[in-house]
């Protein structure tokens, strides 16, 4: 959501063709055209989702020609304090090794830019602005060493590991992270919320964790679903007291729960 205009921007990878029986992850090619590589598309709504614009193709704006599959998040993007729109981003190198980063827009989503990836062999990331102008990227790490966490102060031109890099346990899966400023939550403190299947081996134990120190430690936690599922999740505040989580649970393909912040202890 563009918090300046209220517009909703929705991103999706449009795939066309490819080898029969192979998903885009394994069949996407280089170049820019839809006959060789998936297209990164964006639609916009200015009336809370009642109507949507025609799709806009962003592929040539953000993709380098040798890259293979190039697409968003998945998850949610953010509006920075200065109004910059930032969307988590990933691409495949020519040898199909993935790398996560960000794409950003300074003109309300008309044009988009990509600089350097944060860390090689990472995918499915989420981004938060931990301080004005400082972005933290929380990434799925194929090394099975916990969540990769890197920081940029220049919109992705350069990156450095965060002190919490590798501390959050994961079974190699997508996760969600959300910054909630003190003015927007009932606790009256800047908080980070993080959700994932909190297990080192299996996609189980869907958990929300809370950090009060910018992601250095995560002392508060609530377990939502201890059984097995696909494990993807996405967080969004409902009101000052309540966070909502949409996730793939053990009992349904998609589950939505509302959790009081005071219940995360």
């Amino acid at each position: 959501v563009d918090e300046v205009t209220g517009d909703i921007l929705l991103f999706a990878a449009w795939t066309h063709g490819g080898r029969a029986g192979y998903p885009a992850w394994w069949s996407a090619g280089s170049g820019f055209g839809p006959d060789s590589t998936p297209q990164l598309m964006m639609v916009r709504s200015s009336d809370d989702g009642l109507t949507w614009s025609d799709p806009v193709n962003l592929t040539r704006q953000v993709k380098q020609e040798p890259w293979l599959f190039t697409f968003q998040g998945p998850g949610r993007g953010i509006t920075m304090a200065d109004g910059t729109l930032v969307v988590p981003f990933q691409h495949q190198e020519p040898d199909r090794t993935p790398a996560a980063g960000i794409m950003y827009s300074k003109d309300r989503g008309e044009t988009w830019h990509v600089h350097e990836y944060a860390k090689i062999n990472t995918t499915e990331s989420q981004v938060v602005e931990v301080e004005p102008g400082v972005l933290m990227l929380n990434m799925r790490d194929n090394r099975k060493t916990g969540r990769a966490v890197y920081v940029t102060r220049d919109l992705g031109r350069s990156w450095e590991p965060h002190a919490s890099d590798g501390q959050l346990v994961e079974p190699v899966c997508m996760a969600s992270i959300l910054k909630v400023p003190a003015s927007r939550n009932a606790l009256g403190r800047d908080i980070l919320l993080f959700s994932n299947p909190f297990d080192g081996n299996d996609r189980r134990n869907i958990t929300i964790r809370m950090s009060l120190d910018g992601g250095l430690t995560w002392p508060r936690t609530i377990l939502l679903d201890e059984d097995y599922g696909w494990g993807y999740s996405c967080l969004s505040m409902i009101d000052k007291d309540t966070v909502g989580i949409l996730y793939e649970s053990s009992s349904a393909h998609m589950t939505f729960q509302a959790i009081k912040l005071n219940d995360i202890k």
Side-chain angles (χ1 to χ4, degrees):
V1 174
D2 183 338
E3 295 185 11
V4 174
T5 65
D7 284 1
I8 302 169
L9 307 181
L10 178 63
F11 302 85
W14 175 53
T15 61
H16 172 72
R19 290 181 292 165
Y22 285 83
W25 186 261
W26 299 112
S27 63
S30 59
F32 297 106
D35 57 338
S36 63
T37 197
Q39 304 293 288
L40 179 58
M41 312 297 285
M42 182 188 77
V43 292
R44 180 191 303 265
S45 176
S46 299
D47 55 14
D48 205 23
L50 292 175
T51 61
W52 296 88
S53 69
D54 291 334
V56 176
N57 193 329
L58 306 179
T59 307
R60 288 183 178 271
Q61 292 187 35
V62 298
K63 184 181 185 297
Q64 294 183 19
E65 187 172 8
W67 292 354
L68 307 179
F69 200 179
T70 302
F71 61 116
Q72 78 290 342
R76 57 175 295 160
I78 65 169
T79 305
M80 294 178 66
D82 67 0
T84 303
L85 303 179
V86 181
V87 173
F89 181 81
Q90 58 183 307
H91 76 274
Q92 291 175 330
E93 292 281 284
D95 65 358
R96 219 168 284 282
T97 303
I102 60 166
M103 64 183 197
Y104 70 91
S105 173
K106 291 279 191 180
D107 56 10
R108 314 265 58 85
E110 293 299 318
T111 58
W112 293 86
H113 311 277
V114 172
H115 297 302
E116 301 297 327
Y117 62 77
K119 185 179 183 180
I120 196 68
N121 206 13
T122 59
T123 62
E124 300 177 334
S125 63
Q126 286 285 266
V127 65
V128 289
E129 186 178 22
V130 288
E131 302 172 30
V134 181
L135 296 174
M136 174 194 289
L137 193 66
N138 185 296
M139 299 166 275
R140 168 177 172 163
D141 195 329
N142 290 336
R143 297 167 183 80
K144 300 184 179 181
T145 53
R147 299 292 294 181
V149 184
Y150 274 52
V151 170
T152 180
R153 292 171 170 80
D154 51 17
L155 291 173
R157 292 175 177 86
S158 61
W159 295 89
E160 61 186 34
H162 186 259
S164 66
D165 183 44
Q167 290 185 10
L168 287 165
V169 173
E170 70 158 359
V172 185
C173 186
M174 183 265 187
S176 182
I177 190 169
L178 181 67
K179 166 74 178 289
V180 191
S183 61
R184 296 189 181 186
N185 72 75
L187 303 182
R189 301 178 62 176
D190 289 350
I191 61 174
L192 291 178
L193 298 170
F194 174 80
S195 63
N196 81 328
F198 206 76
D199 185 279
N201 298 304
D202 300 304
R203 294 186 180 184
R204 58 188 298 269
N205 294 334
I206 297 292
T207 302
I208 299 177
R209 308 183 81 84
M210 182 188 296
S211 176
L212 303 172
D213 57 11
L216 294 175
T217 61
W218 300 85
R220 301 191 185 187
T221 181
I222 185 170
L223 174 64
L224 304 183
D225 188 342
E226 64 182 1
D227 215 335
Y228 298 86
W230 291 107
Y232 283 35
S233 61
C234 191
L235 297 164
S236 186
M237 291 299 290
I238 297 173
D239 54 40
K240 285 191 172 185
D241 298 288
T242 315
V243 61
I245 177 172
L246 183 69
Y247 66 100
E248 297 172 315
S249 73
S250 62
S251 58
H253 287 301
M254 298 304 303
T255 296
F256 182 81
Q257 277 185 262
I259 307 295
K260 295 297 183 183
L261 293 180
N262 284 325
D263 289 336
I264 307 174
K265 300 177 180 179

